[in-house]
Amino acid sequence: MRGPTGKALRTWAVATIVVTVLGPLAGLLWAKIVPTVEYVVIQGEPLFADPEGQGPVGMDGRFALIVMVAGIGCGALAYLAGGRGNDIPLVLGLAVGGIAAAVIAWKTGHQIGLARYEDAVRAAKDGATVKGVAELRATGIVTFWPILAVGTYGALELFVKRLPAGDRGKAAAGEPEEIGRGELDLQATAPGGDVDRREP
């Protein structure tokens, strides 16, 4: 597909894919740094050994930190790599890729060690404790990645203010201003001169 529409679709697709592939890496990092949480097995069901402890909160908190940093980083990099005319497809790519990456990060992190944990729960006697895996309780955190990615892009666009496409800055005397498609042409004249030569 050629033309502006094809370019926009390619930009959107590349942005979406690049952001999405960061999801598994974020999930592996989350599984690596997640705090250890112990469960007590009661009648075959695992229950938090310390429901008021910092472990369950820490799992959500560390996931939130990872996706927040990832979102801000993706937004900044997309802004630096993009250009005027690519804003809409880039923002859409950040939104779609961000939510996909966050969900993949959650699922990837949760799968690390899950089979071993489930085997331990099945084999545990009543009252025994087992170590859990990364688990996200506040699932709304997955929206942090796309929200912060789009928000960072928008903030940079608002405050940095790139020049519009094709704008090389202030037009020199005699050059058409890039307003109204070149319809305004201010030409310099010598002191006392008359461009239209209508004055004596």
Side-chain angles (χ1 to χ4, degrees):
M1 186 178 292
R2 298 179 180 179
T5 302
K7 181 182 178 182
L9 285 173
R10 285 193 300 273
T11 300
W12 172 80
V14 170
T16 301
I17 293 169
V18 169
V19 175
T20 301
V21 297
L22 297 175
L25 300 177
L28 292 173
L29 176 60
W30 179 46
K32 184 73 174 177
I33 67 173
V34 75
T36 300
V37 176
E38 290 191 337
Y39 293 82
V40 178
V41 180
I42 304 295
Q43 296 181 350
E45 292 295 328
L47 305 173
F48 284 120
D50 184 9
E52 304 300 326
Q54 295 299 313
V57 176
M59 287 193 290
D60 287 353
R62 294 183 191 187
F63 184 83
L65 180 61
I66 290 171
V67 296
M68 287 169 67
V69 171
I72 293 171
C74 287
L77 289 175
Y79 180 81
L80 293 174
R84 297 295 296 191
N86 291 327
D87 291 328
I88 293 177
L90 278 174
V91 166
L92 290 175
L94 287 172
V96 175
I99 194 69
V103 171
I104 292 172
W106 166 26
K107 298 301 183 181
T108 300
H110 180 63
Q111 289 296 320
I112 305 299
L114 182 60
R116 184 173 62 251
Y117 162 72
E118 291 175 340
D119 289 343
V121 169
R122 282 193 293 268
K125 296 180 180 179
D126 227 27
T129 60
V130 296
K131 291 183 179 180
V133 295
E135 180 62 76
L136 186 65
R137 296 191 300 170
T139 55
I141 293 174
V142 298
T143 62
F144 288 7
W145 192 323
I147 289 173
L148 284 171
V150 172
T152 299
Y153 190 97
L156 288 171
E157 182 66 30
L158 179 64
F159 294 109
V160 176
K161 296 181 180 178
R162 288 181 299 214
L163 288 172
D167 191 350
R168 298 174 300 280
K170 197 169 184 179
E175 292 181 357
E177 289 282 354
E178 294 182 331
I179 300 174
R181 302 183 181 223
E183 294 174 3
L184 180 61
D185 186 4
L186 302 178
Q187 187 172 354
T189 60
D194 179 18
V195 175
D196 296 330
R197 307 188 183 282
R198 288 181 294 194
E199 295 183 5

